[in-house]
Amino acid sequence: MAINKLTVSKKSAHEINPDMIGLFFEDINFAADGGLYAEMLENRSFEAVKTKGTGRNYILKEDNLYAWSSVEGKEDALEINSNQPVSEKNPHYLRFTAFEDGEGFANKAYDGVCLKKDAKYKVSFYAKEVEYSTGDIEIKVTKDGTCYADATVKFEAITPEPDGYKQMVGDCEAKEWKKYETEIVANDNVKGAAFEIHLTKAGSVEFDIVSMIPADAVAGVFRKDLFKALADLNPGFLRFPGGCIVEGTSIMRRYRWKDTVGAIEDRKINTNLWAAVGGNTSHAWEMPDSHYMQSYGIGFYEYFLLCELLSSKRTCKAVPVLNIGVACQFRSYETVAIDDPAFDEYVQDAIDLIEFANGPVDSKWGALRAKMGHPESFKLEMIAIGNEQWESRHVNVADRYRIFEKAIHEKYPEIKCLGTAGPFVNHELHSGAWKVYHDECAVNPNYSYAVDEHYYVAPQWLYDNVAFYDNYPRDVYVFAGEYAAHDANLSNSVEAGVAEAAMMTGMERNGDVVKLASYAPLFNRIGHSHWTPDMIWFDEDSVTLTPSYYTQKLFSDYAGTEALELNDQEKVLRNSQIYVSAVKMGDSRVIKLVNGKDEDQNLLLVDEEGNDIVGEAQVVTMKAASGKAIVPEASDAIAEDNNHAVSTEIMSNAELCAKRAPEAASYTEEKVKLAGEIVLPAKSVIAVVIK
């Protein structure tokens, strides 16, 4: 084995952002509904819509009873009503009629209800009597005739006055919606069960906003194990809510943050852009997840709250992304012209969002934040103007950004505005966007704090472009807002995680210009993939952490405040496929090393006097759990035309997920005694912490 050498300096090259490594959240792959949002029932408010479409051609059709059915198979027992809803913003609700005592209706939930023995679950619903004066309501979770949890809720019937005259003139007690709450406890483990509501007597009752959430959900909102996976990353920021989600398939279906705050019942439910064809996993006019919706159970308030909850070791800063009057350019040509009075709403949304996050409790939006339970400011510092729009004959991105920036900074000069360089790098759209930001910032340095650029690329591209940021101008900072290595099989391979780490050494070495970086996408519910690879895979009761997850964790946990001088040693080491960065972290130095080879390599660590570095150190290693990384090969999980869109006729989503399942990785932290030389395992990422 060839011996390579690295002189570890104590001299600072420049300051870097210790909170560079963060998270990008988008509701794709059931990341929110069916994922981080702990709600276990699908279509709880009877507002489901079926989405069909390809490219720029979409059909939306109401399908309000989706996920609901009669337990006894009497489908005429279920009817959708919209006469007097709990909230006019979500006008549909269920009228259920039990023709005989004990009949009920069921929700299929996400892949079926999953209960864990002795665990508690909070159940709530709104109900209103139609004709039901003597019975109660039973809650059950069942599978194959076995009941795994149940509770009886006393129904408060309202009996009208018997006097016919009083009824005629309306002088009787009205039948109103009432919210019911109970708790059920699982008597055993079960998967694939159904949630059921039964009337103990024959009769008719109307229901809306039927909910079941584990009692251990963090803040009553976030699924506990998925939250822990995020918390263990100690992120420096959270970019939300997307992504293409921000834009929508049309202007009408765009993400409006104001629809996502306030009482749950008043949050206007929206379709999900990823219910239709898109991403790189399947291709059909009607997708298996065609009913994928956004309930907004995780709305902007919850995103801000999530940032606070993730701030145990470092402050996780909120980075909200706002629509700029443009539907998703991959799916639509629809825009709102900047001279249209309707465009003012988009700009005002940005101003109002800052007030919602930071404003005093006597302001309109600050008062709403306080009413929701958070009178203190969320201390918002940054806001992203647009997602990944690009200049075209349909979209004037630069003009839109200027209007937003001017309006925001006139009222809130302290807010850092983030721009976008579009969805591609090494492209004329990318360089053209950057020229605008450089030109504008030369006149107004406050014009843009950082520019968001995205790249989903082959691992080799990342190895080849480790020096990508070496020659970037330093007048405007970089936000690497979405990036990932896409191997030949679009899987979360060790190869991908190692290539990402190599690129991240370049980001860290150039931490004076790269201020924020986040892998994308974040979550993938197995069997409901719309895009792979993803950082965290999960199903109804388990979580799989990928090699890319461990790469992100290593760089986050061992971030520094200053980059140390390397004096071009990194260029020499690249000849051996070793990629390096060095930072100061407190009183320690952290050397991050990436071995891109399929064989072990030795590296001699010496001080500035040429002496071997010896003594105690901490070594953190990510590598293949098997000891040898898999060489990714294209499988039948990629279509022949290489567009990554696999027809459901070729394989199901579950089969596709099995083809692209994450490679098992080993992540270890250990104390060692350095004796000058260190071994870099094949295809590995290492952090060496030296006092």
Side-chain angles (χ1 to χ4, degrees), residues 46 109 154 164 227 244 256 258 266 275 305 396 447 472 529:
F46 306 96
K154 180 68 176 176
F227 173 85
C244 294
R256 294 178 172 94
K258 291 175 182 176
D266 291 327
L305 183 63
N396 48 347
Y447 183 74
Y472 260 49
S529 293

Side-chain angles (χ1 to χ4, degrees), residues 258 352 355-356 359-371:
K258 291 175 182 176
D352 292 343
E355 182 176 283
F356 177 76
V361 296
D362 58 355
S363 64
K364 176 182 176 180
W365 294 103
L368 177 59
R369 183 193 70 240
K371 183 179 180 181

Side-chain angles (χ1 to χ4, degrees), residues 29-44:
N29 306 325
F30 282 34
D33 291 296
L36 184 62
Y37 184 38
E39 175 61 67
M40 301 175 70
L41 304 184
E42 271 197 272
N43 190 25
R44 66 179 178 192

Side-chain angles (χ1 to χ4, degrees), residues 160-212:
E161 291 282 348
D163 186 295
Y165 172 75
K166 287 186 176 182
Q167 289 185 19
M168 181 177 67
V169 298
D171 187 16
C172 59
E173 195 169 6
K175 298 179 180 180
E176 301 289 349
W177 288 104
K178 175 179 171 55
K179 186 174 184 180
Y180 294 85
E181 297 176 294
T182 190
E183 187 173 80
I184 58 175
V185 181
N187 57 48
D188 205 348
N189 296 322
V190 67
K191 292 183 181 181
F195 172 89
E196 299 178 3
I197 293 180
H198 294 257
L199 304 187
T200 60
K201 299 291 184 182
S204 184
V205 176
E206 291 175 331
F207 293 87
D208 202 358
I209 316 175
V210 186
S211 173
M212 179 176 172

Side-chain angles (χ1 to χ4, degrees), residues 22-280:
L23 300 172
F24 163 58
F25 187 97
E26 178 168 11
D27 191 2
I28 182 175
N29 306 325
F30 282 34
D33 291 296
L36 184 62
Y37 184 38
E39 175 61 67
M40 301 175 70
L41 304 184
E42 271 197 272
N43 190 25
R44 66 179 178 192
S45 296
F46 306 96
E47 299 294 338
V49 170
K50 176 179 279 192
T51 301
K52 302 178 183 180
T54 60
R56 302 175 186 272
N57 181 12
Y58 289 88
I59 292 175
L60 302 180
K61 181 180 179 181
E62 288 186 357
D63 192 6
N64 305 98
L65 283 176
Y66 168 73
W68 298 95
S69 61
S70 164
V71 173
E72 291 74 29
K74 299 178 180 180
E75 296 309 320
D76 57 342
L78 281 69
E79 293 183 282
I80 292 297
N81 198 352
S82 59
N83 184 38
Q84 294 177 318
V86 173
S87 171
E88 292 182 6
K89 292 184 178 180
N90 295 299
H92 300 99
Y93 54 96
L94 174 69
R95 175 173 289 194
F96 174 72
T97 300
F99 299 106
E100 299 180 22
D101 294 357
E103 291 182 342
F105 61 101
N107 185 277
K108 74 179 187 66
Y110 299 95
D111 301 318
V113 173
C114 174
L115 301 184
K116 296 184 178 180
K117 186 177 180 180
D118 297 327
K120 298 177 181 179
Y121 302 85
K122 296 181 178 180
V123 174
S124 65
F125 54 88
Y126 282 85
K128 181 173 66 171
E129 179 190 1
V130 179
E131 292 181 2
Y132 194 61
S133 59
T134 61
D136 291 322
I137 296 176
E138 289 184 338
I139 308 298
K140 298 179 181 180
V141 175
T142 70
K143 182 179 181 181
D144 299 331
T146 299
C147 181
Y148 290 86
D150 65 289
T152 299
V153 178
K154 180 68 176 176
F155 184 70
E156 297 182 16
I158 297 174
T159 304
E161 291 282 348
D163 186 295
Y165 172 75
K166 287 186 176 182
Q167 289 185 19
M168 181 177 67
V169 298
D171 187 16
C172 59
E173 195 169 6
K175 298 179 180 180
E176 301 289 349
W177 288 104
K178 175 179 171 55
K179 186 174 184 180
Y180 294 85
E181 297 176 294
T182 190
E183 187 173 80
I184 58 175
V185 181
N187 57 48
D188 205 348
N189 296 322
V190 67
K191 292 183 181 181
F195 172 89
E196 299 178 3
I197 293 180
H198 294 257
L199 304 187
T200 60
K201 299 291 184 182
S204 184
V205 176
E206 291 175 331
F207 293 87
D208 202 358
I209 316 175
V210 186
S211 173
M212 179 176 172
I213 293 179
D216 66 358
V218 178
V221 176
F222 307 108
R223 183 172 142 176
K224 186 177 180 180
D225 54 352
L226 295 181
F227 173 85
K228 183 179 185 302
L230 300 184
D232 287 347
L233 287 169
N234 300 307
F237 65 89
L238 175 69
R239 174 178 174 238
F240 61 86
C244 294
I245 284 290
V246 172
E247 302 146 358
T249 56
S250 68
I251 290 295
M252 187 180 78
R253 294 291 178 176
R254 73 186 187 276
Y255 195 106
R256 294 178 172 94
W257 76 262
K258 291 175 182 176
D259 286 344
T260 77
V261 295
I264 286 289
E265 55 267 27
D266 291 327
R267 300 185 186 185
K268 184 176 175 57
I269 293 170
N270 198 4
T271 55
N272 192 305
L273 170 147
W274 295 105
V277 65
N280 55 15

Side-chain angles (χ1 to χ4, degrees), residues 279-299:
N280 55 15
T281 54
S282 48
H283 180 74
W285 172 248
E286 182 179 327
M287 300 277 280
D289 291 327
S290 59
H291 294 89
Y292 190 12
M293 303 287 290
Q294 297 178 86
S295 73
Y296 295 140
I298 296 180

Side-chain angles (χ1 to χ4, degrees), residues 267-332:
R267 300 185 186 185
K268 184 176 175 57
I269 293 170
N270 198 4
T271 55
N272 192 305
L273 170 147
W274 295 105
V277 65
N280 55 15
T281 54
S282 48
H283 180 74
W285 172 248
E286 182 179 327
M287 300 277 280
D289 291 327
S290 59
H291 294 89
Y292 190 12
M293 303 287 290
Q294 297 178 86
S295 73
Y296 295 140
I298 296 180
F300 262 52
Y301 177 85
E302 286 75 21
Y303 283 122
F304 283 121
L305 183 63
L306 180 59
C307 289
E308 283 196 346
L309 294 170
L310 293 175
S311 296
S312 60
K313 291 188 178 180
R314 61 158 55 95
T315 299
C316 178
K317 297 180 180 179
V319 184
V321 186
L322 294 183
N323 189 295
I324 59 171
V326 178
C328 179
Q329 285 177 265
F330 290 110
R331 297 167 172 85
S332 173

